[in-house]
Amino acid sequence: MALPAPSPIHLLRSHSSAVNSLSISTDNERIYSGDTVGQVIVTSTRSLRPLASWNAHADSLLGIEEWGSQIITHGRDNKLHVWARPEESASIRQGPATLSDLPTPTICYSMDVNTLNYCRFSLLSLAGASAQEGLLAVPNLVESALADIWSLPSCQRLHAAIGDPLDTSATAFSDGRSGSKSGIIMSMHLFYSALSAPSSSMSARELRLLCAYEDGSVVLRKRTAHETKQTVEGRGWEVVWKSKLHVESVMAMAVSSDCTLALTVSADHLVGRYDLLEASESTPAGTAFKTKHPGNGAVAIRSDGRVCAIGGWDGKVRLYSTKTLKLLGTLVHHKQGCQTVTFASHIDRVPLCGDLKEDDSSSDEDEITVEEKHARGRWLIAGSTDAKVSIWALMDFEKTST
């Protein structure tokens, strides 16, 4: 039997338009929210006050993510911007500030991207690099059924037109919309998959790209070309498996933090679950789970991989076990569609020491206890068409999620 639903512990009302993009920093200190007019707001999870607010794009936000000391925003204006992350000032901590008084981050660099298909970027940080470096996956600049991978901060394209160019070359459309059987890319995730021999070296990892498409299919590809070799027209990449579980377009996809499983949702009542480790062309990769609730537009997986949240067009957020897709509870507050959901990082993945230094200018009242860090690690954050961001404190689900 499903557990009774709690009420949100906090509501953020800083936006005046529908909130469609959310993320939280890995240390659970900052919430990033974006809306349909391109406004981005950074909110402190300690004070619940906005730290920064600015019009990052001339059109709707597709994605936002903190990357070290920078912020990446992706908009429907065919732009991807990298900003310098603003720090929380003492003046903001001392008293309330209006959004117009908040600082505007400095832009570091920008890229022209193709946003015809509403597909947000996927960022893969390169650990061990001497400087902050990463790989960025976005839809191809010309053909929306194909994917490109860029290097940051150099903005150099390493792999172009990943997919099946032969399948899309006969398209009759001239606006970048795919004429392929699978349709345009709706969601993507770039990650390294560890090979059978565990190792921390880059040579023991395999670069993979998971793409969800307009026809409801999901395809996993791996790079077969040498790591330093640039590729074009999909060469140097091969399909690991392809699975089609949905009868409608994939509306959202989430991948677990350890990159072992993925979930997809759609306008239908199905939830697709995919094994990113054991599956192959001969082994079924995906399993479709039937729910009683069609019309889903957002999905997120908690950092420990045990619980997932699905945001519905009815405004409700439903919690499921990622293993069995058993319904654990329903969060009811928003009267309009839930467009984005995200979990705070589980406390086991957050350093308890925090970011504060002994000579930090913040006072003792800014210090938070280990218990407060644990509580914040159980937060679920949802954004809705009603322009509100709701924050929920969840239980551990230690027994019910297995």
Side-chain angles (χ1 to χ4, degrees), residues 40-173:
V40 172
I41 298 177
V42 186
T43 304
S44 168
T45 59
R46 298 193 184 197
S47 64
L48 294 177
R49 295 171 179 167
L51 304 177
S53 174
W54 76 103
N55 293 319
H57 293 272
D59 206 334
S60 177
L61 258 290
L62 290 177
I64 181 170
E65 185 174 337
E66 180 178 295
W67 184 36
S69 60
Q70 297 175 327
I71 305 169
I72 300 179
T73 63
H74 188 190
R76 281 277 293 164
D77 56 359
N78 297 305
K79 293 289 185 180
L80 185 142
H81 300 308
V82 179
W83 312 79
R85 175 168 61 86
E87 296 296 334
E88 183 176 0
S89 65
S91 60
I92 295 178
R93 286 197 300 265
Q94 290 170 358
T98 62
L99 295 182
S100 59
D101 296 331
L102 296 174
T104 298
T106 304
I107 194 167
C108 300
Y109 53 92
S110 299
M111 294 174 55
D112 292 323
V113 293
N114 168 25
T115 57
L116 175 73
N117 43 349
Y118 293 87
C119 176
R120 66 154 280 170
F121 69 93
S122 176
L123 175 69
L124 175 61
S125 295
L126 298 180
S130 57
Q132 182 168 282
E133 298 178 4
L135 299 178
L136 183 83
V138 290
N140 180 258
L141 286 170
V142 177
E143 175 53 64
S144 297
L146 306 176
D148 292 346
I149 297 178
W150 298 74
S151 174
L152 296 182
S154 64
C155 297
Q156 180 183 18
R157 187 161 62 173
L158 302 179
H159 307 285
I162 301 171
D164 189 356
L166 297 179
D167 189 29
T168 59
S169 58
T171 177
F173 302 104

Side-chain angles (χ1 to χ4, degrees), residues 214-272:
E214 190 179 15
D215 70 341
S217 65
V218 175
V219 180
L220 178 65
R221 295 181 175 88
K222 66 179 181 180
R223 181 180 61 187
T224 57
H226 190 271
E227 184 175 349
T228 58
K229 182 180 179 180
Q230 294 181 328
T231 64
V232 295
E233 297 181 350
R235 300 188 185 98
W237 290 78
E238 67 178 36
V239 174
V240 178
W241 51 257
K242 180 177 181 179
S243 177
K244 187 177 186 301
L245 302 179
H246 296 282
V247 295
E248 302 283 351
S249 300
V250 174
M251 299 304 298
M253 179 174 68
V255 176
S256 62
S257 58
D258 59 1
C259 298
T260 59
L261 70 93
L263 298 175
T264 56
V265 295
S266 177
D268 56 34
H269 66 293
L270 303 175
V271 178

Side-chain angles (χ1 to χ4, degrees), residues 334-345:
H334 298 287
K335 304 301 182 183
Q336 301 180 41
C338 179
Q339 300 196 36
T340 176
V341 290
T342 188
F343 284 96
S345 296

Side-chain angles (χ1 to χ4, degrees), residues 52 131 145 148 193 202 232 234 266 276 288 290 312 330 341-342 358 362 374:
D148 292 346
S193 177
M202 296 291 288
V232 295
S266 177
L276 302 183
K290 296 181 180 180
T330 304
V341 290
T342 188
E358 292 182 359
S362 61
H374 276 280

